[in-house]
Amino acid sequence: MRANRMSLSAIAVLAVALALAGCQTGGGGAALPQDLQGLIQARELTPEQVRAAIQTYVPPGKYDDYLMFTSGGQGGQVLVIGIPSMRLLRVIGVFAPEPWQGYGFSQETQEVLGHHGADRTPISWGDTHHPALSETNGEYDGQFLFINDKGNARMAVIDLRDFATKQIVKNPNAWSNHGAVVSPNTDYVLESTQYAIPFPPRPMPVTQENYNQYFRGLATFWRFDRDKGRIDPARSFQIELPPYWQDLADFGKLVSDGWVFINSFNTERAIGGTLEGKPPVEIGASANDMDYLHIIDYRKAAELVAQGKGTVVNGMRVLTLKEAVDNGVLYFAPQPKSPHGNDVAPRGDYIVVGGKLDPNVTVYSFEKIQQAIRDQAFSGRDPYGVPILKFDAVVAAQVKIGLGPLHTMFDDKGNAYTSLFLDSAVAKWTLGPPYKTGDDAWKLVQKLPVQYNIGHLTAVEGDTVKPGGKYLVAMNKWSVDQYSNVGPLFPQNFQLIDISGDEMKLLYNMPIGVGEPHLAQIIPISKVKSWETYPVGTNPLTMQPDPRAVQPGKQRIVREGNTVHVYMTAMRSHFTPDRIRVRRGDTVVFHITNIEKTKDAIHGFALAGYNINLSLEPGKHETVRFRATTPGVFPFYCTEFCSALHLEMMGYLEVAP
Ligand SMILES: [Cu+2]
């Protein structure tokens, strides 16, 4: 018998619990049935495991309480996962074509994907890192989701009415970025550049002299127009920063509203050179004991830009480093050591920083920062003239929690949760006044081992002004021994943790086999008001009726010179028209409306040989345009199993020679 096999007395305790649960829900059952006891014993489950199973089980037809939006990493996607079941509910194509959704095949979605490569060609991947839900007064409002592409310095806007990507903007002055965070009312979405390049971008030898003199970082404030549901590049701006690698950012809130905090690393300005016998970047960038927390008065920066300050570089207005320093927009505070997380507490009063090579989290007081700025309590200036606030003047506490602290989330009881990469653990610790006072303040409460090497973590609304508590998800980089071997590309490991009680408890493992998720956010499902169908004839890009939407009875084929327009409808179980004849060299434009009003009555439109594949949800209208270069007879068909006669939902395109 294995040591962890459930004892009979433990089963008895659990039986009582189950029986009580049964009574409360009217399910009956005065005792745990014999066969259930046998099942638990046969599977060698511990009481903790049975409890976790009951806590996370969502029966067929019942819904999860929360949605987690997580980056899909190199897949360029967003994954939508139900909590507590940890079931994958949706994949949203963002920076890469996604065939199931027909994303990147229609004219509408090709426009969204754009041409952002160095040679103005489309890029067909992205490294999604930081999802950021739109906020109203510092709380998630369930309307929009933003996510960055670290790999190519892009930012995307997803509309949560239909969970589809509506816009991608390319940072014109950077090739990498980190973070996507929103201001408390979503007027700005911020990205930091990760790896500095020459500013303005131009070719030059990567030497130390050039790096120090010409390379720069940037904080990019994308202006979001909520009414239009789009970022407005013309009203966006950047702040020029020293060539330290700006990393995670967080907007202030409540008392610190109007400010933003960005951590940085490689203040050493290491540039590698391993082939010339120089130390690699990892060594060079880890020499200093302190890097710099960037403290930015972005309201003042926006005012200066509105007054016409700054210069325009590649169409983007940029407040220069000198203007930022001269006008009191930018300050530094020392932060230990190669930091990653940088998280503002729920009341906006503290900023928590995890230094990857420091066993402490360092907590800055916003009030002390403001006082130090008023007192000009500077310990000096960096080589670019930025004033550095005295460390002791701005720090509220340092709490020793373990090795490799990265990222911090908060609950509704004054606790903070920090991922520990090197320890492979989540540390729960307490904030200071007014959250906790006396001996209860600034105290490590518990360390829960996770499997393994956790990067970010996320808790229910854990970065808002009203954290929800209840659940936390550890986003682990290594799974090692947690899953069956499916080859050398191991899945990432999400672990659901119960944080509702005094002690954190591990509930569930979820493998992620589609990319390396970086960060996630969790929102109560009741806050997301998504559509079940589109009003018939809706253009998904504008979310408005499309003037070219096709009504029943108005299907037609119209030739305009060498362009053939096919106005088509899809409904169970046929396309109208279903026989189309064009000539070689014609441009063919399909305007297709799914005229179904029934939810889940989805059709697809796939045309052989021409790389055409659409998803037509009920009511959706989409356009696909291509040149018929090759003569032949090409079947098209519905790719969604929509009815008993789904296989018959097809037609022929004849391309005459
Ligand atoms: Cu169909």
Side-chain angles (χ1 to χ4, degrees):
M1 184 183 277
R2 275 167 53 167
N4 69 348
R5 177 172 285 199
M6 201 172 190
S7 73
L8 285 173
S9 64
I11 290 179
V13 169
L14 196 70
V16 172
L18 280 168
L20 284 172
C23 290
Q24 276 162 4
T25 57
L32 196 61
Q34 205 75 47
D35 61 335
L36 194 48
Q37 290 188 35
L39 187 62
I40 291 166
Q41 278 190 309
R43 300 205 66 203
E44 301 187 346
L45 298 175
T46 66
E48 280 299 293
Q49 289 168 339
V50 176
R51 200 171 284 116
I54 294 169
Q55 266 183 275
T56 53
Y57 179 65
V58 177
K62 301 264 175 151
Y63 300 153
D64 282 295
D65 299 323
Y66 301 95
L67 289 182
M68 174 163 65
F69 291 91
T70 171
S71 63
Q74 304 88 333
Q77 302 162 330
V78 166
L79 313 179
V80 187
I81 293 164
I83 287 180
S85 73
M86 302 300 277
R87 293 177 297 189
L88 178 64
L89 298 173
R90 266 298 300 266
V91 174
I92 305 172
V94 185
F95 295 108
E98 205 293 315
W100 173 51
Q101 299 152 70
Y103 180 70
F105 299 90
S106 68
Q107 195 172 290
E108 289 83 358
T109 54
Q110 281 173 348
E111 262 172 42
V112 173
L113 272 171
H115 295 71
H116 301 129
D119 50 3
R120 306 262 172 215
T121 53
I123 290 176
S124 56
W125 77 290
D127 186 8
T128 56
H129 264 226
H130 291 256
L133 286 156
S134 58
E135 295 181 10
T136 301
N137 298 325
E139 290 187 66
Y140 301 155
D141 56 39
Q143 289 189 359
F144 297 97
L145 181 77
F146 307 90
I147 190 153
N148 73 307
D149 166 24
K150 170 171 167 164
N152 304 285
R154 297 184 290 173
M155 185 71 73
V157 181
I158 295 164
D159 191 327
L160 294 181
R161 285 177 295 178
D162 65 346
F163 283 49
T165 305
K166 305 298 175 184
Q167 184 186 25
I168 295 173
V169 289
K170 168 81 186 81
N171 190 324
N173 294 318
W175 274 120
S176 66
N177 68 16
H178 207 95
V181 284
V182 300
S183 56
N185 281 302
T186 321
D187 35 5
Y188 289 103
V189 186
L190 170 65
E191 72 176 66
S192 330
T193 52
Q194 180 98 91
Y195 305 121
I197 58 170
F199 177 77
R202 59 197 186 277
M204 70 173 62
V206 183
T207 63
Q208 195 65 59
E209 294 69 30
N210 282 345
Y211 188 89
N212 295 354
Q213 194 172 347
Y214 300 115
F215 284 46
R216 291 292 181 270
L218 293 164
T220 303
F221 292 80
W222 294 109
R223 186 80 165 87
F224 185 64
D225 184 331
R226 194 189 280 263
D227 293 334
K228 290 187 180 141
R230 295 290 187 276
I231 286 168
D232 184 352
R235 290 161 68 209
S236 304
F237 69 93
Q238 299 181 315
I239 301 174
E240 181 192 1
L241 299 170
Y244 314 140
W245 292 349
Q246 286 80 25
D247 192 50
L248 272 174
D250 204 0
F251 276 91
K253 48 202 172 206
L254 302 175
V255 295
S256 53
D257 190 24
W259 292 74
V260 74
F261 310 92
I262 308 174
N263 66 37
S264 68
F265 59 104
N266 196 19
T267 49
E268 299 86 348
R269 294 177 287 177
I271 54 169
T274 41
L275 209 54
E276 292 93 60
K278 305 236 174 71
V281 170
E282 61 169 315
I283 303 291
S286 307
N288 292 348
D289 282 337
M290 295 282 190
D291 292 295
Y292 297 126
L293 175 66
H294 293 38
I295 300 163
I296 296 174
D297 184 344
Y298 78 90
R299 286 262 165 76
K300 193 181 277 178
E303 279 165 27
L304 292 167
V305 168
Q307 291 163 15
K309 291 266 193 329
T311 57
V312 176
V313 180
N314 291 321
M316 179 71 87
R317 188 158 286 279
V318 185
L319 193 69
T320 65
L321 189 45
K322 185 169 186 319
E323 288 169 318
V325 171
D326 290 351
N327 290 284
V329 165
L330 175 65
Y331 300 91
F332 287 161
Q335 58 177 179
K337 172 177 186 181
S338 300
H340 195 60
N342 173 65
D343 303 288
V344 179
R347 294 168 189 253
D349 43 3
Y350 295 120
I351 301 108
V352 178
V353 167
K356 287 174 288 190
L357 304 179
D358 188 81
N360 300 294
V361 281
T362 302
V363 185
Y364 299 78
S365 154
F366 182 72
E367 201 182 314
K368 286 186 164 189
I369 288 171
Q370 294 300 296
Q371 190 61 46
I373 291 172
R374 281 193 294 273
D375 297 346
Q376 306 270 293
F378 304 141
S379 57
R381 287 175 185 264
D382 88 324
Y384 302 88
V386 182
I388 302 163
L389 300 169
K390 284 182 181 156
F391 185 70
D392 292 339
V394 294
V395 169
Q398 286 192 291
V399 187
K400 193 167 187 177
I401 59 167
L403 298 179
L406 283 176
H407 181 216
T408 301
M409 282 266 159
F410 305 94
D411 72 7
D412 52 339
K413 301 185 190 80
N415 299 302
Y417 301 82
T418 301
S419 54
L420 299 171
F421 180 83
L422 296 175
D423 273 352
S424 284
V426 175
K428 175 180 178 176
W429 54 280
T430 57
L431 292 167
Y435 304 88
K436 302 268 184 183
T437 52
D439 285 349
D440 291 336
W442 308 126
K443 211 170 73 180
L444 177 65
V445 178
Q446 185 200 356
K447 276 164 76 171
L448 181 76
V450 292
Q451 289 71 42
Y452 300 90
N453 295 92
I454 178 173
H456 283 278
L457 46 66
T458 186
V460 174
E461 297 173 286
D463 56 2
T464 72
V465 298
K466 278 193 193 149
K470 198 139 182 170
Y471 297 112
L472 180 141
V473 173
M475 305 175 70
N476 305 307
K477 303 296 185 189
W478 292 52
S479 61
V480 189
D481 55 7
Q482 295 291 294
Y483 301 110
S484 311
N485 186 351
V486 288
L489 184 58
F490 278 45
Q492 311 290 308
N493 189 24
F494 279 4
Q495 291 187 300
L496 180 69
I497 295 166
D498 178 357
I499 57 167
S500 62
D502 291 337
E503 283 208 339
M504 296 182 280
K505 287 187 180 134
L506 181 63
L507 296 178
Y508 197 70
N509 267 19
M510 179 191 189
I512 303 287
V514 294
E516 186 203 303
H518 195 80
L519 182 60
Q521 288 185 329
I522 303 172
I523 182 173
I525 213 157
S526 57
K527 284 193 173 180
V528 181
K529 312 268 188 250
S530 43
W531 291 358
E532 291 184 328
T533 61
Y534 294 98
V536 171
T538 299
N539 178 322
L541 196 54
T542 63
M543 299 294 269
Q544 298 291 324
D546 191 303
R548 295 200 176 225
V550 186
Q551 313 283 336
K554 299 283 171 69
Q555 301 96 335
R556 63 205 183 273
I557 299 170
V558 181
R559 176 174 282 280
E560 293 172 2
N562 289 328
T563 302
V564 178
H565 292 273
V566 182
Y567 293 89
M568 177 183 272
T569 57
M571 71 173 298
R572 282 164 287 174
S573 301
H574 55 274
F575 295 105
T576 309
D578 56 3
R579 275 188 286 131
I580 297 146
R581 187 169 191 274
V582 302
R583 288 192 293 265
R584 179 187 195 170
D586 282 343
T587 295
V588 184
V589 189
F590 280 94
H591 310 267
I592 314 178
T593 308
N594 179 345
I595 56 175
E596 305 261 12
K597 291 177 180 165
T598 308
K599 68 177 176 181
D600 212 356
I602 302 161
H603 299 292
F605 176 80
L607 174 64
Y610 283 95
N611 195 34
I612 285 165
N613 170 48
L614 302 182
S615 170
L616 298 161
E617 297 97 84
K620 193 185 200 182
H621 176 82
E622 274 203 313
T623 316
V624 66
R625 178 188 291 266
F626 63 100
R627 246 184 111 225
T629 49
T630 308
V633 174
F634 302 91
F636 55 84
Y637 74 102
C638 173
T639 53
E640 285 274 343
F641 209 116
C642 55
S643 70
L645 297 177
H646 156 74
L647 293 180
E648 288 80 353
M649 188 165 175
M650 62 80 65
Y652 287 109
L653 172 76
E654 180 198 347
V655 181

